[in-house]
Amino acid sequence: MRIGILTGGGDAPGLNAAIRAVARRAFQLGHHVSGVQNGWAGCLEDGLIREMTAQDVRGILPLGGTILGTSRTNPLKIKDGVTTAMRTLRHSGIDALVAIGGDDTLSVAAAMHEAGFATVGVPKTIDNDLSVTDFCIGFDTAVGVVTDALDRLHTTASAHHRVMVVEVLGRDTGWVALMGGIAGGADLILIPEFPLTLKEVVAHLYRRRGDGKLFSIIVVAEGVSIPGVEAESREGDADAFGHVRLAKRGVGDLLASSVEHETGFETRVTVLGHLQRGGSPSPSDRIWATRLGACAADLIMAGKSGVIPIRRDGGVQVVALSDVIAETRRVPQDLYELSRIFS
Ligand code: F6P
C-alpha cells in the first residue's frame, strides 16, 4: 500500500514528529509513503507529490515547521476541488491519505472520506480548539513560549513599574492566552469566551495600584473584542477558509494605548505572533504527535477511513473525523475563573 501524508493550515511545532511517526510505522510494516507538499495545494497542482524514504524523516523529530510545507488552500472552495485532489493522489499511486491539521484541513479530509478516498486525520492546531481531543499538536509548545515570555516581561515590568500588554495567538478561542497566562502568572487575561470592557480593565489596574502593586501583566488573545477598544476596523481580507488576519487588528496595541490614555500608567505592548508557532516542539508535543501519528498509520493500513486518533482520558482513542470538527472547543468557565483568583 502507498500512504500519502499531508500537513495543512498554519504550521505548528510537532508536525515533523507526526510525519516521522506515520512514515516510520508504515516502513516498519513494509508499506510505501509519499509526501504531499504544501497542504491541499499539493493535491491540486502537478509535481508536488514525491516518494519518501527513511532518509527523509531522519533527524526531523526536534524540528519545528513541516518538511512537507503547508498552505491554507481549500479544495472545497475550488470547483471540483475534491475530485481533482482525489485524481491527483490516485495518479501518484496513493491509496490512502493521512491529513495532519486543524479544523480547516480536517474538514477537507472529511469531505475526501465522504467522496470515497480513504483518509485519516491527525489533530494539529496551536489554538487547541478541536472538539473531543485533549491534545492538538503545537499547543503545548505555544503555551511554553508564552510562559517564557511572561517570565521575562515580569522583570522588566517590575523594574519600570509599567503595564505590559502581551498579545498572543488564538483565532476564535483563548486557550493559548489562558493557559500561557496561568503558567506565566498574568494579572489579567482577556479572551473571546469571557470578554471584559476597557472600563473593567482600567478599574482592575487602579485596584492593583491601590494595593501597592506597581506593575501589571495583561495577556490578550488576538481575537478578543473589548468594548471601548475598536479593533475590528483594521481587519484585512479573509483567506480561503474565511478567516481574516487577526494580527492586523492590533488589539494589543490598541488596548495598550487606551490603557495609557485612561490611566496615565506607562504601558508597553509585546506581540508574540508567530514566535509561538516556531522552533522546536516540547517533549509533550513530540510524544503525542508520535503516538497519534503511529496510530493514524495503523488505522490507514487496517483499511479505516473518516476517523482520527485523539488523546482522551490519558490514552489514545479513535473517533470520527466529523466529531472533532463538529464545533469549536471553547475555554470553560471553571478554568477562566481559576485565572481570576490571581487577578
Ligand atoms: O490557526 C493557527 C493560527 O496560528 C491562529 O492562532 C492565527 O490566528 C493564525 O493561525 C495566523 O495565521 P497566518 O500564519 O496565516 O497569519
Side-chain angles (χ1 to χ4, degrees):
M1 165 179 230
R2 177 170 294 279
I3 301 168
I5 312 177
L6 161 162
T7 54
D11 71 314
L15 281 173
N16 285 324
I19 294 167
R20 169 179 173 267
V22 175
R24 290 286 290 271
R25 181 64 174 151
F27 294 148
Q28 184 188 32
L29 298 182
H31 294 279
H32 302 282
V33 174
S34 292
V36 180
Q37 290 171 50
N38 305 342
W40 295 112
C43 300
L44 298 173
E45 293 166 35
D46 289 332
L48 292 177
I49 298 178
R50 59 178 178 82
E51 171 89 27
M52 289 180 83
T53 65
Q55 181 60 34
D56 291 316
V57 293
R58 196 158 293 152
I60 67 171
L61 177 64
L63 297 185
T66 159
I67 58 163
L68 294 176
T70 187
S71 71
R72 294 198 187 276
T73 299
N74 181 1
L76 301 175
K77 284 283 159 63
I78 295 165
K79 191 171 176 306
D80 300 326
V82 169
T83 316
T84 308
M86 286 167 58
R87 198 172 44 233
T88 311
L89 291 170
R90 286 200 177 115
H91 213 246
S92 304
I94 294 174
D95 304 297
L97 183 69
V98 174
I100 310 169
D103 55 344
D104 294 336
T105 305
L106 297 178
S107 65
V108 182
M112 295 283 287
H113 159 70
E114 292 290 325
F117 196 91
T119 306
V120 165
V122 175
K124 173 275 335 178
T125 167
I126 69 145
D127 293 353
N128 197 41
D129 58 1
L130 290 172
S131 282
V132 193
T133 182
D134 294 336
F135 170 84
C136 297
I137 292 173
F139 173 65
D140 186 67
T141 307
V143 169
V145 172
V146 175
T147 307
D148 180 54
L150 295 190
D151 287 349
R152 290 168 188 274
L153 290 169
H154 261 95
T155 56
T156 171
S158 157
H160 285 268
H161 316 307
R162 282 174 173 159
V163 177
M164 290 289 188
V165 173
V166 188
E167 182 184 309
V168 306
L169 291 178
R171 200 188 294 284
D172 303 309
T173 60
W175 286 103
V176 177
L178 190 87
M179 296 308 215
I182 289 174
D187 302 307
L188 196 60
I189 304 171
L190 276 69
I191 59 176
E193 292 90 333
F194 299 96
L196 295 175
T197 63
L198 177 60
K199 249 178 138 178
E200 288 170 315
V201 174
V202 166
H204 172 80
L205 292 171
Y206 276 128
R207 204 163 42 245
R208 279 181 58 82
R209 288 273 162 151
D211 291 345
K213 295 167 181 161
L214 300 182
F215 73 92
S216 293
I217 308 276
I218 304 177
V219 174
V220 52
E222 62 176 349
V224 79
S225 291
I226 308 169
V229 176
E230 296 305 325
E232 275 65 20
S233 58
R234 291 198 191 174
E235 288 175 0
D237 293 339
D239 66 16
F241 285 94
H243 307 302
V244 294
R245 276 181 54 201
L246 293 175
K248 281 198 161 185
R249 299 170 75 226
V251 69
D253 192 32
L254 291 171
L255 176 64
S257 307
S258 305
V259 158
E260 196 164 56
H261 179 258
E262 294 291 321
T263 62
F265 300 155
E266 215 183 344
T267 305
R268 297 288 187 270
V269 62
T270 302
V271 180
L272 292 179
H274 291 80
L275 281 176
Q276 295 157 96
R277 290 211 328 231
S280 192
S282 68
S284 177
D285 273 327
R286 296 181 195 196
I287 290 163
W288 282 95
T290 299
R291 290 185 71 172
L292 299 184
C295 181
D298 281 340
L299 289 165
I300 277 285
M301 290 183 293
K304 299 279 192 289
S305 178
V307 293
I308 182 167
I310 60 162
R311 184 178 82 189
R312 202 167 165 80
D313 301 332
V316 176
Q317 294 184 13
V318 179
V319 298
L321 269 173
S322 52
D323 288 349
V324 296
I325 55 173
E327 58 184 36
T328 303
R329 190 162 68 104
R330 300 190 184 280
V331 170
Q333 185 144 6
D334 59 333
L335 263 184
Y336 178 68
E337 279 169 6
L338 174 70
S339 78
R340 292 310 302 258
I341 296 174
F342 308 97
S343 287

